Amino acid sequence: MPELLSAFVFCALLSASAVFGVLLRGWLPEEHLTERNMEALRLVTSLLVTFAALVLSLQLSSGKAAFDTAYRDRNADAGQLARLDQCLREYGEGAERAREKLRSYTAAVIASTWPDEEKPAGVSYPDMTGMARQGESATLSALIREIGREINGLDPQDSMRRNLAADCRAVFSDFQQHRWAVIEDAHGSLTRLFLNIVIFWLMLVFVSFGLQVPRKLLAAVVLAIGVISISSVMFVIFDLEWPYGGVFGIPSDSMRSALATMSR
C-alpha cells in the first residue's frame, strides 16, 4: 500500500533528522552550545513548530472535509442509481433493457472501484480488470450512454407512463451530475511540492530537537514518540487523499445495497 510505505518513509526521514541533530551536537565545539545560543535555537524551533502545526492542522482539516464530501457524494450516487431503477421498475414493460444495463453499470463500478473485494455475482458486466479506481472510465461512460439512449427511447402510450418516463429522464439527469461529482471528488488536493516543503520543515524541526536534547535514554524515547506522532499525522493526511484506497477508504456498502435493490 502506498500510504503505509509513505508512513515508513516519513518516519525514517524524521528519525534520521533527529539522529543527525544529536550527532551534530556532539561535533560542535562547546562555544557553540552556550545557553544564549541554545535559547536562540529554541526560539527558532518554536517558530518552526508553530508553522508546522498550523499547516498540518489545516491540511488535516481540509483532507477530512474532502474525504467526507467524497463519501457523501458516493452515497448520493448510489441512492440515485437505486432511485432510477425504481422509476424504471414502475414504468414496467419497455424498460427492461435499461434496467439490465443499469445493473451492469453498478456491478462494473463496484468491480473497478473496489478490485480487492468480492466481485458482484449474478450480474453480467464488462471486464474491469486493470481499470483505475479513480477518474473517468471509457467503459463506464459507454454504459451510461447506452442507458441514456434506452431511457430517451421510451415510447409510452398513456399519460401515466408518459409521466413516469419524464420522471426517469429527470432522475437520470440528476444521476449524471452526481456521477461527475464523484469523479471529481477522487482527485486529491495535496501536491508533491507542498508535501516536500512540509517534510522539509519537519526535518528542520527534528534536527533542532536533536541539537537541544541531551544524550539520555529518556530524551531518545521522547524524540521517538514525537517522530511516531508526526509520522502518523502525515500518514492520515496522505491516506485521506486516496478516498477509495488505504485504511480510511470509502466502503462499497452503499453501491452493493443499490445493486441488491436492483436485483430483487
Side-chain angles (χ1 to χ4, degrees), residues 55-258:
V55 170
L56 288 178
S57 62
L58 289 175
Q59 189 59 45
L60 183 59
S61 176
S62 175
K64 183 61 168 61
F67 179 85
D68 290 341
T69 298
Y71 203 146
R72 183 172 60 252
D73 285 344
R74 173 57 75 184
N75 289 339
D77 183 62
Q80 288 291 337
L81 286 170
R83 182 183 170 198
L84 179 58
D85 178 75
Q86 182 61 37
C87 184
L88 294 171
R89 187 198 300 267
E90 292 178 359
Y91 183 88
E93 186 178 355
E96 292 85 357
R97 284 177 57 82
R99 291 191 64 208
E100 180 182 353
K101 291 180 179 180
L102 191 64
R103 288 192 295 270
S104 295
Y105 169 81
T106 306
V109 169
I110 295 172
S112 62
T113 309
W114 296 275
D116 300 328
E117 297 185 7
E118 182 181 358
K119 305 299 182 185
V123 183
S124 61
Y125 57 92
D127 183 14
M128 305 304 292
T129 304
M131 296 294 296
R133 289 187 176 187
Q134 303 174 172
E136 172 67 327
S137 165
T139 303
L140 296 178
S141 294
L143 270 174
I144 289 295
R145 289 194 295 270
E146 291 177 12
I147 295 169
R149 285 194 292 268
E150 292 290 341
I151 294 176
N152 290 328
L154 295 176
D155 186 21
Q157 301 300 317
D158 56 78
S159 59
M160 185 185 75
R161 285 160 63 85
R162 279 194 293 270
N163 291 334
L164 285 172
D167 289 343
C168 290
R169 294 185 183 107
V171 174
F172 180 72
S173 178
D174 290 342
F175 158 69
Q176 286 182 304
Q177 294 179 10
H178 279 101
R179 176 174 178 265
W180 280 108
V182 169
I183 292 173
E184 292 301 321
D185 288 340
H187 301 290
S189 60
L190 188 63
T191 64
R192 183 172 295 275
L193 176 61
F194 178 80
L195 180 63
N196 290 338
I197 291 174
V198 172
I199 293 174
F200 178 69
W201 283 353
L202 294 173
M203 290 175 66
L204 290 179
V205 169
F206 278 92
V207 168
S208 64
F209 285 165
L211 278 169
Q212 297 175 60
V213 300
R215 294 189 176 184
K216 302 294 183 180
L217 178 59
L218 180 59
V221 171
V222 171
L223 269 180
I225 292 174
V227 166
I228 294 172
S229 300
I230 298 300
S231 297
S232 63
V233 172
M234 293 297 293
F235 166 74
V236 172
I237 291 173
F238 194 77
D239 191 82
L240 290 175
E241 288 289 306
W242 301 78
Y244 294 100
V247 176
F248 303 104
I250 296 173
S252 62
D253 298 350
S254 59
M255 292 297 291
R256 292 185 183 274
S257 297

